Amino acid sequence: LFCPSAVEQGPVRGEDPGARLLAGLCVDSMETRRYYTPEEVAAHNSAGDLWVSVFHRVLNLTDLVREHRGELTVPLIEAAGQDISHWFDEKTGNVKTRIDPGKGIRLPYTPQGRFLHVAPAEPTANWSTKIANPWWQDENLVIGKLTQKTRKVQIVNVISQQTDLLTVCSEETISEIRDRYMEYNRHASSYTWKKLAQGTFVLLDMEKTLAENGVVDESEEFEELGIEDDFYYPILHVYFNDDLTVA
């Protein structure tokens, strides 16, 4: 989906002026997921495509930065694609504070630089106290959650014997893993998914996770034994249903 507005608007500070034209895509048109891997968040690391994670929530700040160009969005741009949970107090969810040694009062602690919606240390006419919902508390900016743990899984096409290695989120259902597999096989919805258990192929429940389907994560055991996790990944087998009505 081409997005004319992405080209018509001028570049934001820190953004490659030609990036939008080359991409020609609306960030909002991208498929959203319930869970994202850290690598997926890290891929959105520019002013024109800016995601961050805060306490396992993934926020899309692209439009926010575009609407509030200026000095206060610079720290956000510099942190694009990163986890910035350390900017905030885990108990309150607000910006961390500390007692200012010079003023003897509690002020926001922003060593990375004061950023958008953080009150200034000194009174100023440019600061509005009417900000009811700072961006880090705006649920409209949240596009999903950051996974607690990633897993790697091999998908084997029984007919072609093609094997693809996917990095998935441990919280994702098999159906959501199938959506990721669509990048490798656009007919993935026309396949039946099974696992091999004690020499027998067992149908997977598409609405359950790998763990709930009995596909155990043994990475910690392999690590304790000093065996690289690259040595073993669980295998899911996909069987073509001879139905191309779903593409």
Side-chain angles (χ1 to χ4, degrees):
L1 176 63
F2 186 75
C3 183
S5 62
V7 179
E8 291 169 0
Q9 296 186 42
V12 185
R13 179 175 176 177
E15 179 183 13
D16 179 356
R20 296 185 196 176
L21 183 59
L22 290 173
L25 295 173
C26 288
V27 175
D28 292 341
S29 71
M30 298 180 62
E31 180 184 356
T32 57
R33 307 183 188 277
R34 283 197 312 137
Y35 290 91
Y36 295 93
T37 68
E39 291 75 19
E40 287 174 319
V41 176
H44 301 269
N45 57 9
S46 70
D49 182 11
L50 200 166
W51 291 11
V52 296
S53 59
V54 180
F55 299 134
H56 291 281
R57 298 183 309 155
V58 178
L59 290 78
N60 183 348
L61 305 184
T62 307
D63 290 340
L64 181 79
V65 168
R66 187 174 298 138
E67 293 167 5
H68 299 275
R69 305 184 186 192
E71 190 176 324
L72 294 182
T73 56
V74 172
L76 300 179
I77 295 170
E78 292 177 343
Q82 301 175 37
D83 182 84
I84 56 173
S85 299
H86 58 285
W87 290 13
F88 304 92
D89 185 299
E90 190 170 3
K91 292 182 179 179
T92 66
N94 280 315
V95 177
K96 286 182 176 179
T97 61
R98 69 168 182 173
I99 300 297
D100 186 275
K103 297 181 175 64
I105 58 175
R106 185 169 294 278
L107 293 172
Y109 179 57
T110 55
Q112 69 283 343
R114 179 177 161 238
F115 53 87
L116 188 66
H117 294 167
V118 173
E122 302 288 347
T124 173
N126 295 328
W127 169 250
S128 172
T129 58
K130 297 181 180 180
I131 300 174
N133 201 26
W135 63 261
W136 56 87
Q137 294 180 350
D138 188 349
E139 292 298 322
N140 292 320
L141 298 178
V142 178
I143 57 172
K145 296 181 179 180
L146 186 69
T147 182
Q148 296 280 349
K149 186 177 183 181
T150 59
R151 295 187 61 177
K152 289 188 184 296
V153 61
Q154 294 183 76
I155 312 285
V156 177
N157 186 319
V158 175
I159 295 179
S160 67
Q161 290 301 302
Q162 178 176 334
T163 300
D164 295 295
L165 182 64
L166 274 66
T167 299
V168 303
C169 301
S170 59
E171 303 89 346
E172 290 179 319
T173 63
I174 303 301
S175 178
E176 289 170 316
I177 292 174
R178 179 188 61 193
D179 291 341
R180 289 183 178 275
Y181 183 56
M182 293 282 283
E183 298 177 12
Y184 300 82
N185 186 333
R186 65 190 181 93
H187 296 298
S189 295
S190 296
Y191 284 75
T192 296
W193 292 61
K194 298 183 179 182
K195 69 173 183 176
L196 185 62
Q198 299 180 343
T200 303
F201 286 104
V202 179
L203 193 66
L204 293 169
D205 187 328
M206 300 300 287
E207 301 311 314
K208 291 184 177 181
T209 65
L210 288 168
E212 290 169 342
N213 272 289
V215 182
V216 183
D217 184 359
E218 299 179 302
S219 58
E220 291 184 4
E221 288 83 351
F222 273 77
E223 187 175 342
E224 290 178 1
L225 294 171
I227 302 174
E228 293 186 11
D229 55 4
D230 288 353
F231 184 77
Y232 170 80
Y233 298 117
I235 299 175
L236 305 183
H237 301 265
V238 293
Y239 292 77
F240 184 54
N241 294 331
D242 195 22
D243 177 12
L244 292 182
T245 58
V246 182

